[in-house]
Structures are given as C-alpha cells and as structure tokens.
Amino acid sequence: MTAQIRHDWSIEEVEQLLNLPFNDLLYRAQTLHREYFDPNRIQVSTLLSIKTGACPEDCGYCSQSARNSTDLEPERLLPVDEVLASAQAAKAQGATRFCMGAAWRNPTDTNLRKVADMVRAVKDMGMETCLTLGMLTREQARSLKEAGLDYYNHNLDTSPEFYGEVITTRTYEDRLQTLDHVRQAGLNVCSGGILGMGESRRDRASMLCQLSNLPSHPESVPINLLVQVEGTPLFGAEALDPLEFVRTVAAARIMMPRSHVRLSAGRTEMSDELQALCFLAGANSLFYGERLLTTDNPETDRDKALFQRLGLSMEQHVETEKPPQGRACYRV
C-alpha cells in the first residue's frame, strides 16, 4: 500500500520516529523508499562556487562569512567559460545536475543577469541546473525560471527554535519567504539542513517538520554534516553520533517519500560503512566531485568504487513529471 503524503507532521510524531529502535526505523524507511524509487540508483550532482567569500551574513558554520576569521581569500564572480569548463568535467564524470553557489546575502539584479547566462549555457550542455545565491525576491525567482533554471537551493539549516544560536543576520521567516518565491515561480525546491551544530534531537525533528509541512515537499532535501572550519564559531562543536545522522536521514525519507534525500557536506568524515547505512535509510542523492564550495569532498574514484561495492548505479535521465502534493500546514 502506497503511503499517504502528509503535510501535517507534529514535532512529537517525528521525535517518536527518531526514538524507534534503529532496525525498525531503517526497515520502515527502506520499505517506503522502495515504493517510490529504485533502491539501487543514486542521483549525482556537482557543486561549484562561482563567487567565493566576503559574505556579510554571520552563519556560525561558514568559512565564507566576512565576520569569521578564516584563511579564505575572497574571489570575484567566475567568468562563464570557467563555469562551463567545470560543468563539462562534471558531466564527463556522470553528474546529471550542475549546482552553482555564490556567497551573497542576496544577488543584485546585475549579478543575477550574469548568473542567468551561466544557467542558459549549462542547460545547453544537456545538464540540469541548480543555484544557491542567498535570498531572492519574487521577481528574481521568476527571471531565473525564465532563464531555464531547474532547482533553487535555500537551506533552512536547523529548527526555528535553535536558529538564533547559529545565525542572526537573517530570520527564519526570510528563508521561508525565499522558498515561497522559488515555489511560486515554478522552480523545483532544494532545501535541507545541517546536523552537528549543537542542536538537540527535538531540533532535528522540528527542522524536518518545517520541510515536510511546506505546501509541497522539496524535490531535493540535502542533509549536511557540519564541516568544522577553524575560525568559525562552531569550530570545536561536539561531534554528532554517526547513527543519529542515519536516523535523521531515515526520518526524512519517511516524511518526504517522493523527495531525493541527498548526502551533502561532511562526507569526507564518513566511512564507507556509514554512507552505506545512509543509503539503506533512504538517501538516494549525493554531491560528486572533490570540492563543495570551499570544503573537501570525497574523490570521484572513491565514490565510484563505493557504488561498485554496493551495486549502486547513477541516474542517467531526469524525471520531469511531478506528482501532486497536499495542502500546507505550517509550524513556524
């Protein structure tokens, strides 16, 4: 029986999910995963920083914040030809989606036009496109849709309750508003969070409620493990129990069964065995390539070897039909 797609999860219900015996939780997640996806196929994306550093935000995890004392040197927006060379290399390695990130609070209209040219050029190569540029106005989201953009990433990062411990320069409502602008423009939504920032299990449950209770579930849900960067406020945070990370992936799969759940930042700190557990828990997407914006990522040869050991194959085509989803029930 196909599971009901819900948009009315409570924090208490999600805590109950996360408190299940580990084997029961993974069995439930894997069983549901098989209703909607080939369990042995992985969607692969590559992420490039097209404008690095000097961001005015104060995100406590971020090496690119101008407020954090890291060794990162700011860089200007990359020229289109360099972006295309990176996209071509990603495509040759098997990636089907090319994601471009810029360290802005929000893009100017001038910069947005330059990025739109990048989107058109990458689309002409036959790849899906994704951007993460910070906050967007409704008009900016529409202009990116007109340029042919497929996905827009804007993470919630954590729960509303814990958010102020990590970021003070933009509000949680700002993030939800950008997601609404993206959805209203007809773009696919990519939104998830970061684990291991000192949040509680209840915070993780609350974050998943925020995502699953959106009017439509995000098509892509990245689950990041904090990458500790020296010079950032969260450097030295207590490491998250790896099995807690797996539990969160499993809950995301159960709550958003039609979404791709992506292993994102932090995979260099994960063993092959931990990643295999995440795939069993319902993760079916990852970032591919040696660099994620400014932090390291596993080498492509290591990922290919892992896929071979696990009998996993990379998605070769893009599904364009999007099934209808239910009514919103917000918990802010």
Side-chain angles (χ1 to χ4, degrees):
M1 180 182 296
T2 301
Q4 178 187 5
I5 303 298
R6 293 181 52 189
H7 301 262
D8 60 352
W9 289 88
S10 70
I11 296 175
E12 290 71 26
E13 284 182 287
V14 186
E15 283 190 300
Q16 290 174 12
L17 269 183
L18 292 170
N19 288 334
L20 285 173
F22 189 74
N23 289 344
D24 292 347
L25 178 61
L26 262 62
Y27 176 78
R28 183 171 170 182
Q30 176 62 202
T31 301
L32 188 58
H33 183 53
R34 289 170 178 265
E35 291 189 20
Y36 292 93
F37 292 100
D38 180 342
N40 298 310
R41 183 155 298 196
I42 302 293
Q43 188 278 323
V44 173
S45 300
T46 294
L47 176 62
L48 174 70
S49 178
I50 59 173
K51 188 274 176 188
T52 302
C55 180
E57 304 279 19
D58 68 351
C59 305
Y61 51 79
C62 188
S63 63
Q64 301 199 65
S65 171
R67 301 165 185 252
N68 294 336
S69 301
T70 65
D71 295 330
L72 188 71
E73 291 294 330
E75 298 175 3
R76 294 184 176 181
L77 186 67
L78 292 178
V80 174
D81 58 347
E82 287 190 31
V83 174
L84 285 180
S86 295
Q88 188 61 58
K91 183 178 181 181
Q93 289 286 352
T96 58
R97 186 179 309 157
F98 191 68
C99 306
M100 295 164 275
W104 290 320
R105 174 179 169 81
N106 50 279
T108 65
D109 289 342
T110 298
N111 281 329
L112 200 74
R113 285 191 289 271
K114 295 176 182 178
V115 174
D117 289 339
M118 297 177 188
V119 169
R120 294 185 186 96
V122 174
K123 286 282 287 185
D124 287 344
M125 294 171 47
M127 297 187 77
E128 282 188 317
T129 53
C130 180
L131 292 173
T132 179
L133 312 174
M135 295 184 290
L136 292 181
T137 65
R138 192 176 303 276
E139 292 72 23
Q140 287 177 326
R142 288 173 179 166
S143 70
L144 290 174
K145 175 66 175 178
E146 291 171 0
L149 183 67
D150 296 298
Y151 287 78
Y152 194 81
N153 166 262
H154 199 63
N155 289 333
L156 295 182
D157 286 350
T158 188
S159 69
E161 298 81 6
F162 189 71
Y163 184 81
E165 300 297 318
V166 181
I167 303 159
T168 66
T169 50
R170 79 173 82 167
T171 68
Y172 211 81
E173 186 58 39
D174 288 335
R175 291 181 180 267
L176 291 172
Q177 185 177 64
T178 290
L179 291 183
D180 182 62
H181 291 165
V182 169
R183 181 63 78 193
Q184 292 300 320
L187 292 165
N188 292 307
V189 170
C190 175
S191 187
I194 305 171
L195 310 187
M197 299 191 294
E199 77 285 348
S200 65
R201 178 177 282 186
R202 185 174 178 84
D203 287 317
R204 291 187 281 277
S206 177
M207 179 191 72
L208 291 176
C209 278
Q210 291 290 321
L211 294 166
S212 63
N213 292 347
L214 290 169
S216 295
H217 294 162
E219 283 75 14
S220 180
V221 181
I223 306 294
N224 299 270
L225 180 63
L226 175 68
V227 177
Q228 297 198 19
V229 178
E230 190 168 359
T232 62
L234 286 175
F235 182 73
E238 183 177 353
L240 183 72
D241 178 354
L243 296 185
E244 188 69 18
F245 187 90
V246 181
R247 285 181 178 274
T248 309
V249 169
R253 167 54 61 215
I254 292 167
M255 297 169 68
M256 295 170 280
R258 287 181 173 143
S259 303
H260 279 81
V261 177
R262 175 180 298 134
L263 298 185
S264 298
R267 288 202 301 121
T268 53
E269 305 302 316
M270 299 181 191
S271 67
D272 287 353
E273 293 77 12
L274 175 57
Q275 292 184 73
L277 279 176
C278 289
F279 296 140
L280 184 64
N284 62 339
S285 176
L286 53 74
F287 274 126
Y288 192 62
E290 285 76 20
R291 199 76 175 159
L292 291 184
L293 296 180
T294 63
T295 58
D296 292 334
N297 200 49
E299 295 182 355
T300 53
D301 287 346
R302 175 187 166 185
D303 282 335
K304 288 179 179 178
L306 178 60
F307 293 165
Q308 186 173 17
R309 291 169 66 199
L310 298 177
L312 301 176
S313 61
M314 294 187 287
E315 284 188 7
Q316 299 299 312
H317 66 281
V318 178
E319 297 181 5
T320 57
E321 182 178 354
K322 187 164 60 177
Q325 298 193 28
R327 175 175 58 87
C329 180
Y330 290 100
R331 292 174 60 87
V332 179

Short mmCIF file of all heavy atoms in Angstrom, two decimals, residues 130-153:
data_model
loop_
_atom_site.label_atom_id
_atom_site.label_comp_id
_atom_site.label_asym_id
_atom_site.label_seq_id
_atom_site.Cartn_x
_atom_site.Cartn_y
_atom_site.Cartn_z
N CYS A 130 21.12 24.09 -10.97
CA CYS A 130 20.68 24.49 -9.64
C CYS A 130 21.53 25.67 -9.21
O CYS A 130 22.72 25.75 -9.55
CB CYS A 130 20.84 23.33 -8.64
SG CYS A 130 20.31 23.72 -6.95
N LEU A 131 20.93 26.60 -8.48
CA LEU A 131 21.65 27.75 -7.94
C LEU A 131 21.40 27.88 -6.45
O LEU A 131 20.34 27.50 -5.95
CB LEU A 131 21.17 29.05 -8.60
CG LEU A 131 21.49 29.27 -10.07
CD1 LEU A 131 20.79 30.53 -10.56
CD2 LEU A 131 23.00 29.38 -10.30
N THR A 132 22.39 28.43 -5.75
CA THR A 132 22.21 28.87 -4.36
C THR A 132 22.92 30.20 -4.23
O THR A 132 24.15 30.28 -4.26
CB THR A 132 22.71 27.81 -3.35
OG1 THR A 132 22.53 28.32 -2.02
CG2 THR A 132 24.16 27.42 -3.58
N LEU A 133 22.13 31.27 -4.14
CA LEU A 133 22.65 32.63 -4.19
C LEU A 133 22.21 33.48 -3.00
O LEU A 133 22.43 34.68 -2.99
CB LEU A 133 22.18 33.33 -5.48
CG LEU A 133 22.32 32.58 -6.81
CD1 LEU A 133 21.66 33.37 -7.93
CD2 LEU A 133 23.79 32.32 -7.12
N GLY A 134 21.56 32.86 -2.02
CA GLY A 134 21.01 33.61 -0.92
C GLY A 134 19.53 33.91 -1.14
O GLY A 134 18.83 33.18 -1.85
N MET A 135 19.07 34.99 -0.54
CA MET A 135 17.66 35.33 -0.63
C MET A 135 17.32 35.87 -2.02
O MET A 135 18.15 36.50 -2.68
CB MET A 135 17.30 36.38 0.43
CG MET A 135 17.44 35.86 1.84
SD MET A 135 16.91 37.06 3.10
CE MET A 135 18.21 38.30 2.97
N LEU A 136 16.08 35.61 -2.46
CA LEU A 136 15.60 36.09 -3.75
C LEU A 136 14.30 36.84 -3.57
O LEU A 136 13.48 36.50 -2.71
CB LEU A 136 15.32 34.92 -4.71
CG LEU A 136 16.48 34.08 -5.22
CD1 LEU A 136 15.94 33.01 -6.16
CD2 LEU A 136 17.54 34.92 -5.92
N THR A 137 14.09 37.86 -4.39
CA THR A 137 12.78 38.46 -4.48
C THR A 137 11.90 37.60 -5.40
O THR A 137 12.41 36.73 -6.12
CB THR A 137 12.86 39.88 -5.07
OG1 THR A 137 13.30 39.81 -6.43
CG2 THR A 137 13.82 40.75 -4.26
N ARG A 138 10.63 37.87 -5.38
CA ARG A 138 9.71 37.13 -6.26
C ARG A 138 10.08 37.35 -7.72
O ARG A 138 10.07 36.41 -8.53
CB ARG A 138 8.27 37.57 -5.99
CG ARG A 138 7.22 36.69 -6.62
CD ARG A 138 5.82 37.14 -6.23
NE ARG A 138 5.63 37.16 -4.79
CZ ARG A 138 5.29 36.09 -4.08
NH1 ARG A 138 5.11 34.91 -4.67
NH2 ARG A 138 5.12 36.19 -2.77
N GLU A 139 10.43 38.58 -8.08
CA GLU A 139 10.77 38.89 -9.46
C GLU A 139 12.07 38.20 -9.88
O GLU A 139 12.20 37.74 -11.01
CB GLU A 139 10.91 40.41 -9.65
CG GLU A 139 9.61 41.18 -9.50
CD GLU A 139 9.10 41.25 -8.06
OE1 GLU A 139 9.94 41.10 -7.12
OE2 GLU A 139 7.89 41.44 -7.85
N GLN A 140 13.04 38.13 -8.98
CA GLN A 140 14.30 37.45 -9.30
C GLN A 140 14.07 35.95 -9.53
O GLN A 140 14.66 35.36 -10.44
CB GLN A 140 15.31 37.67 -8.18
CG GLN A 140 15.88 39.08 -8.14
CD GLN A 140 16.83 39.28 -6.99
OE1 GLN A 140 16.66 38.71 -5.90
NE2 GLN A 140 17.86 40.10 -7.18
N ALA A 141 13.23 35.35 -8.71
CA ALA A 141 12.92 33.93 -8.90
C ALA A 141 12.28 33.71 -10.26
O ALA A 141 12.61 32.75 -10.97
CB ALA A 141 12.01 33.44 -7.78
N ARG A 142 11.38 34.59 -10.65
CA ARG A 142 10.73 34.45 -11.95
C ARG A 142 11.73 34.60 -13.10
O ARG A 142 11.65 33.88 -14.10
CB ARG A 142 9.62 35.50 -12.09
CG ARG A 142 8.39 35.23 -11.23
CD ARG A 142 7.42 36.39 -11.28
NE ARG A 142 6.23 36.15 -10.49
CZ ARG A 142 5.35 37.09 -10.14
NH1 ARG A 142 5.55 38.36 -10.53
NH2 ARG A 142 4.29 36.78 -9.42
N SER A 143 12.67 35.53 -12.95
CA SER A 143 13.66 35.72 -14.02
C SER A 143 14.56 34.50 -14.17
O SER A 143 14.97 34.15 -15.28
CB SER A 143 14.49 36.97 -13.75
OG SER A 143 15.36 36.81 -12.64
N LEU A 144 14.88 33.83 -13.05
CA LEU A 144 15.69 32.61 -13.14
C LEU A 144 14.90 31.48 -13.79
O LEU A 144 15.46 30.68 -14.55
CB LEU A 144 16.17 32.21 -11.74
CG LEU A 144 17.21 33.13 -11.12
CD1 LEU A 144 17.51 32.70 -9.68
CD2 LEU A 144 18.49 33.14 -11.95
N LYS A 145 13.62 31.41 -13.50
CA LYS A 145 12.77 30.42 -14.17
C LYS A 145 12.77 30.67 -15.68
O LYS A 145 12.87 29.73 -16.48
CB LYS A 145 11.36 30.49 -13.61
CG LYS A 145 10.34 29.60 -14.32
CD LYS A 145 10.66 28.13 -14.13
CE LYS A 145 9.57 27.26 -14.75
NZ LYS A 145 9.88 25.82 -14.62
N GLU A 146 12.67 31.92 -16.07
CA GLU A 146 12.67 32.26 -17.50
C GLU A 146 14.00 31.91 -18.16
O GLU A 146 14.05 31.60 -19.35
CB GLU A 146 12.37 33.75 -17.68
CG GLU A 146 10.93 34.13 -17.31
CD GLU A 146 10.70 35.62 -17.27
OE1 GLU A 146 11.68 36.38 -17.53
OE2 GLU A 146 9.56 36.04 -16.98
N ALA A 147 15.08 31.97 -17.38
CA ALA A 147 16.40 31.61 -17.91
C ALA A 147 16.57 30.11 -18.07
O ALA A 147 17.56 29.66 -18.67
CB ALA A 147 17.50 32.16 -16.99
N GLY A 148 15.63 29.32 -17.52
CA GLY A 148 15.70 27.87 -17.65
C GLY A 148 16.20 27.14 -16.44
O GLY A 148 16.45 25.93 -16.49
N LEU A 149 16.35 27.85 -15.30
CA LEU A 149 16.82 27.19 -14.09
C LEU A 149 15.85 26.09 -13.67
O LEU A 149 14.63 26.24 -13.75
CB LEU A 149 16.94 28.21 -12.95
CG LEU A 149 17.50 27.68 -11.62
CD1 LEU A 149 18.96 27.27 -11.77
CD2 LEU A 149 17.34 28.72 -10.52
N ASP A 150 16.42 24.97 -13.20
CA ASP A 150 15.61 23.84 -12.75
C ASP A 150 15.35 23.85 -11.25
O ASP A 150 14.23 23.63 -10.80
CB ASP A 150 16.30 22.52 -13.14
CG ASP A 150 16.42 22.35 -14.64
OD1 ASP A 150 15.39 22.30 -15.31
OD2 ASP A 150 17.57 22.30 -15.13
N TYR A 151 16.41 24.06 -10.46
CA TYR A 151 16.32 23.96 -9.00
C TYR A 151 16.92 25.21 -8.36
O TYR A 151 17.88 25.80 -8.88
CB TYR A 151 17.12 22.76 -8.47
CG TYR A 151 16.49 21.41 -8.73
CD1 TYR A 151 16.59 20.82 -9.98
CD2 TYR A 151 15.82 20.73 -7.72
CE1 TYR A 151 16.01 19.58 -10.23
CE2 TYR A 151 15.26 19.49 -7.95
CZ TYR A 151 15.35 18.91 -9.21
OH TYR A 151 14.79 17.69 -9.44
N TYR A 152 16.36 25.58 -7.20
CA TYR A 152 16.99 26.61 -6.38
C TYR A 152 17.16 26.05 -4.97
O TYR A 152 16.22 25.54 -4.37
CB TYR A 152 16.17 27.90 -6.33
CG TYR A 152 16.98 29.05 -5.76
CD1 TYR A 152 17.86 29.74 -6.56
CD2 TYR A 152 16.89 29.39 -4.41
CE1 TYR A 152 18.64 30.78 -6.05
CE2 TYR A 152 17.66 30.42 -3.89
CZ TYR A 152 18.54 31.11 -4.71
OH TYR A 152 19.31 32.13 -4.20
N ASN A 153 18.40 26.17 -4.46
CA ASN A 153 18.71 25.69 -3.11
C ASN A 153 18.68 26.84 -2.11
O ASN A 153 19.30 27.89 -2.33
CB ASN A 153 20.09 25.04 -3.06
CG ASN A 153 20.57 24.84 -1.63
OD1 ASN A 153 21.34 25.65 -1.11
ND2 ASN A 153 20.12 23.79 -0.99
#
